[in-house]
Amino acid sequence: MNAPSNIAAPIVIDAAFDAGNIEVLSLDGCEARLAIRKDRESEFAQWFYFRVTGAAGRKLTLRITGLEKSAYPQGWPGYRACYSEDREFWARADSAWDKDADGGTLTITCTPKGDIAWFAYFAPYSMEQHHNLVTEAALAEGVSHRVLGHSLEGQPIDCLELGEGDRQVWIYARQHPGETMAEWWMEGALALLTDASDPVARVLRAACRFHLVPNCNPDGSRRGHLRTNYAGVNLNREWAEPSLERSPEVLAIRNAMDATGVHFAMDVHGDEAIPAVFMAGFEGIPSWTPEQGAAYDRYQEILERRTPDFQRKLGYGTTPKGKANLTMSTNQLAERFGASHGCVSMTLEMPFKDNAGLPDAEQGWSPERSRLLARDCLAALAEWLRPGD
C-alpha cells in the first residue's frame, strides 16, 4: 500500500483573516521561520495570530524571529504562546526565548491532535466576536446602544449604556488593539451588568449610568496591530488634542464624555512584561487633590481584598505631581473632570504572560481569568460607592 502522498508535505501557515498577523520567511516540513508584521505606518510589532494546517500528529517547530526589535522585547522572557485547536479553549504551548538567535527568537513547539492549530500572542478577540458581543448586550433589558463616531476606515465606535443612577461611569477597552484580554474583560463586565438577577448589577444599575466602549480601536483590531490605529497612531497618546485626521476614535469618545461628565473611569489594557494584574493612576496631574487620591487608593484596597488576582507591589510606579502625561486618557479624565465631578480614573493592566503570584500552568493568564476579574472589579465598584465606607 502506498503511503499518503502528503505525509511529507510542508505545513501551511496563513494569517490573512480578521486580526491575523504573521510573515512566513521559510518553511521546511514541520519547521517554520517567521516574523511579525509591523503596525501600519508604525514601528510597533508584537501581536501575532496565525493558523497552521497539515499539523495532525506532527511536532511543529515555529521560530518567530527579529524580536529584539519588537515593541517590548522584555515581554518575551518567560512568555509562552497561546494555541488552540477549536478557537474556544486557549492553552499555552511550550515556548523558548533566545535573544541572541536570529535577532531574538521565540521558538514554539507543539504537536497538535488535529490538522488545524491556531497560535496567537493572546487569545484573539476578532471584530466578528465584537459584533456578536455588542448585539447580544444591546438586546438585554434596559440597555441602549449608540455609535459615538467612526474610525478612519469607517468602522463604528460602539457604546452600550445602561443604569438609572446619576454617577457617570465610563469603561473602555482596546485602545491598544493587540491587548485582547481587555475585550474578554469587557465580555465579563457586560455579562454581569446585563444580568437582571445579579445583586451586584442591581446595585450598580441603581447607582450609576454606565457607558461601555468594548473596542476603541476597531481598525487596529481587524488589521492585527499591537498598539495603533490605521494611521499608525497610539490612541492613548491622543487625549489632550484628538483630531478627525489622526484619532477620530478618541475624539468621538471624549466628546461623548464631555456631554455626560465622568465620575469614575476605567481604561482596560494588557501589559507585555509584568506578570501581574495592577493599576496605574493619575497621581501626577496638575490639579491632583488628596480627596481624589484617597478615593483611588480606596478602590485599589477594596479590589485587592476581593480577589487574589490583583496586587499593588508590581506596576509602573507613580509620577510626581504636575508631571503627568495629559495625552493619556486616565490622566486627562482625572484632570478634565476632577473639579466638576471629583473624577477618579484608572488604567487596569492584565498580563500577557501569567499572574506569577497565582500561576496557571495550562493557560497562563486567560480569557476566563479576564472575565472573572471584570466581575470582581465591578463588585469592588459597588462597595466603593457605598456611602460611609
Side-chain angles (χ1 to χ4, degrees):
M1 180 179 293
N2 294 328
S5 60
N6 67 343
I7 194 67
I11 56 176
V12 177
I13 297 178
D14 296 294
F17 44 76
D18 187 350
N21 184 331
I22 207 67
E23 294 178 354
V24 179
L25 303 180
S26 65
L27 280 174
D28 182 10
C30 298
E31 300 189 9
R33 182 171 170 265
L34 309 168
I36 297 173
R37 186 185 68 245
K38 294 178 181 178
D39 292 7
R40 182 182 182 275
E41 301 294 332
S42 168
E43 292 300 309
F44 286 110
Q46 194 103 2
W47 170 261
F48 62 87
Y49 176 31
F50 59 91
R51 184 184 80 164
V52 178
T53 54
R58 305 172 77 181
K59 183 179 179 180
L60 307 179
T61 303
L62 312 170
R63 298 182 178 89
I64 305 178
T65 64
L67 297 180
E68 275 294 292
K69 293 185 178 179
S70 63
Y72 300 100
Q74 68 272 27
W76 302 114
Y79 167 79
R80 294 182 296 148
C82 296
Y83 90 98
S84 178
E85 294 192 41
D86 61 9
R87 295 210 291 176
E88 292 184 7
F89 180 81
W90 288 84
R92 297 283 177 151
D94 289 338
S95 306
W97 167 245
D98 186 342
K99 69 180 182 65
D100 297 317
D102 209 357
T105 296
L106 183 77
T107 300
I108 305 165
T109 55
C110 181
T111 305
K113 294 180 180 179
D115 271 331
I116 304 175
W118 301 79
F119 296 85
Y121 190 38
F122 194 80
Y125 208 101
S126 71
M127 286 308 299
E128 285 304 306
Q129 283 178 274
H130 165 83
H131 292 307
N132 288 341
L133 174 66
V134 169
T135 300
E136 181 179 356
L139 288 172
E141 184 177 355
V143 177
S144 60
H145 169 272
R146 59 173 169 149
V147 175
L148 302 182
H150 289 83
S151 69
L152 286 168
E153 291 192 283
Q155 295 192 78
I157 308 301
D158 293 307
C159 182
L160 296 156
E161 300 180 321
L162 70 160
E164 300 77 43
D166 56 7
R167 291 286 192 109
Q168 301 294 326
V169 175
W170 280 84
I171 304 176
Y172 51 105
R174 290 188 81 181
Q175 290 202 74
H176 299 150
E179 297 167 12
T180 54
M181 62 284 289
E183 197 153 5
W184 289 111
W185 186 100
M186 292 294 289
E187 187 175 289
L190 284 164
L192 182 147
L193 288 170
T194 58
D195 184 345
S197 63
D198 192 296
V200 171
R202 293 172 64 188
V203 167
L204 287 172
R205 289 194 303 265
C208 304
R209 181 65 175 171
F210 282 89
H211 314 266
L212 299 106
V213 183
N215 191 326
C216 298
N217 194 339
D219 294 350
S221 299
R222 182 169 286 164
R223 286 177 166 272
H225 286 190
L226 170 75
R227 201 164 173 87
T228 67
N229 69 358
Y230 174 79
V233 171
N234 177 353
L235 295 183
N236 203 26
R237 299 298 185 273
E238 291 288 304
W239 284 75
E241 296 181 358
S243 69
L244 286 173
E245 295 73 26
R246 286 173 50 86
S247 49
E249 304 92 344
V250 173
L251 182 63
I253 298 167
R254 203 189 72 174
N255 284 347
M257 290 175 169
D258 284 344
T260 65
V262 181
H263 293 97
F264 182 95
M266 184 178 289
D267 182 14
V268 188
H269 283 260
D271 184 87
E272 291 79 4
I274 300 175
V277 177
F278 61 97
M279 290 286 187
F282 53 90
E283 294 87 351
I285 64 171
S287 66
W288 182 91
T289 66
E291 292 77 17
Q292 256 182 312
Y296 169 61
D297 290 341
R298 181 169 158 269
Y299 180 84
Q300 290 193 94
E301 290 166 4
I302 294 170
L303 184 59
E304 189 173 35
R305 187 177 72 246
R306 294 199 67 93
T307 173
D309 264 338
F310 179 74
Q311 55 78 58
R312 290 188 288 168
K313 292 181 180 178
L314 299 177
Y316 296 148
T318 59
T319 303
K321 185 175 180 180
K323 301 295 184 180
N325 183 350
L326 296 181
T327 69
M328 299 173 70
S329 67
T330 288
N331 293 326
Q332 176 65 214
L333 297 181
E335 179 72 14
R336 194 178 192 88
F337 298 103
S340 59
H341 292 74
C343 177
V344 174
S345 60
M346 61 198 72
T347 303
L348 173 66
E349 298 280 0
M350 292 172 279
F352 276 91
K353 297 177 181 178
D354 199 354
N355 179 350
L358 196 63
D360 181 334
E362 187 173 15
Q363 286 190 280
W365 191 256
S366 63
E368 293 83 357
R369 295 275 284 279
S370 303
R371 288 193 294 252
L372 288 170
L373 179 64
R375 299 184 66 85
D376 282 314
C377 288
L378 289 170
L381 176 60
E383 182 177 341
W384 183 80
L385 288 168
R386 287 206 298 252
D389 283 2

